[in-house]
Amino acid sequence: TRRSLRRAVELGDGWAPFGLAPAQIKAMLAAVSPPAGFEVVLGTRLLDPIGDPTGTRREVDALVAAGATIVNVALRHRDADDCVAALTALRELYPDARWRSTETG
């Protein structure tokens, strides 16, 4: 909500909304003045950078355009080797990105 964003800007160092379209997020961020270093953390749906690199790029780029400073990416994979291949394909789509990896069960 707009209220949660105002609280985050006033009291926190970041905002991680969910359930909003990128256009809604962009409009909400345009209405506030986040402080320097304020992080906007947005997450993707399940992406397939090997089978659908265009769709992957479209989704990630939309989140960045909406104001994301951090994008949590969920990757489609069957096993560890497939996950590494998906990460490699994602890195090839965004060679200049800063990368930080966390594995969730």
Side-chain angles (χ1 to χ4, degrees), residues 10-37:
E10 182 180 324
L11 304 171
D13 57 6
W15 183 52
F18 58 92
L20 298 172
Q24 292 173 295
I25 294 167
K26 185 174 185 171
M28 291 171 74
L29 288 169
V32 297
S33 296

Side-chain angles (χ1 to χ4, degrees), residues 2-59:
R2 292 185 190 280
R3 187 174 188 181
S4 73
L5 174 57
R6 283 194 306 269
R7 274 195 312 267
V9 167
E10 182 180 324
L11 304 171
D13 57 6
W15 183 52
F18 58 92
L20 298 172
Q24 292 173 295
I25 294 167
K26 185 174 185 171
M28 291 171 74
L29 288 169
V32 297
S33 296
F38 188 81
E39 301 285 5
V40 177
V41 182
L42 303 178
T44 67
R45 295 172 286 151
L46 201 55
L47 301 178
D48 182 2
I50 295 171
D52 185 14
T54 302
T56 297
R57 186 173 272 291
R58 184 177 330 131
E59 178 149 351

Side-chain angles (χ1 to χ4, degrees), residues 47-50 56 73-93 99:
L47 301 178
D48 182 2
I50 295 171
T56 297
V73 178
L75 296 174
R76 182 177 310 278
H77 62 280
R78 294 178 304 276
D79 55 34
D81 290 337
D82 196 38
C83 182
V84 170
L87 287 168
T88 300
L90 185 64
R91 185 181 271 288
E92 289 171 1
L93 289 174
W99 294 94

Side-chain angles (χ1 to χ4, degrees), residues 40-44 47 59-60 63-64 68-73 100:
V40 177
V41 182
L42 303 178
T44 67
L47 301 178
E59 178 149 351
V60 172
L63 296 178
V64 171
T69 58
I70 297 173
V71 177
N72 286 328
V73 178
R100 192 172 22 174

